Amino acid sequence: PYAFVELSDSSGAFEVMFFSQQLFAHRDLLEPNRAIVVTVEARLENDAPKLVAQSAQSVDDVVALAGTG
């Protein structure tokens, strides 16, 4: 299975594809209004960007890790 997840930031909304491995690993983060950081592989297909999730973390986890490094 896979899912197209609509995310947004200050620049607007965009769609990220989560394949099964990433979807199951990060399902708990994919909730409305949850602040997350997603690492993606970006490709250009038919002159449109295609974003495929590689990993995801909560913003709180990213901030905590940045504070220790």
Side-chain angles (χ1 to χ4, degrees), residues 3-9 12-18 30-34 36 38:
F4 290 99
V5 178
E6 186 173 309
L7 303 173
S8 63
D9 64 12
F14 49 93
E15 203 169 63
V16 178
M17 178 183 275
F18 279 77
L30 303 176
E31 298 176 6
N33 301 312
R34 179 114 189 229
I36 62 173
V38 181

Side-chain angles (χ1 to χ4, degrees), residues 15-52:
E15 203 169 63
V16 178
M17 178 183 275
F18 279 77
F19 285 109
S20 59
Q21 182 178 357
Q22 298 304 327
L23 181 61
F24 291 124
H26 306 298
R27 173 171 266 150
D28 61 318
L29 297 174
L30 303 176
E31 298 176 6
N33 301 312
R34 179 114 189 229
I36 62 173
V37 176
V38 181
T39 303
V40 300
E41 176 186 321
R43 294 181 249 169
L44 198 58
E45 289 187 8
N46 300 323
D47 294 326
K50 181 177 181 180
L51 305 175
V52 179

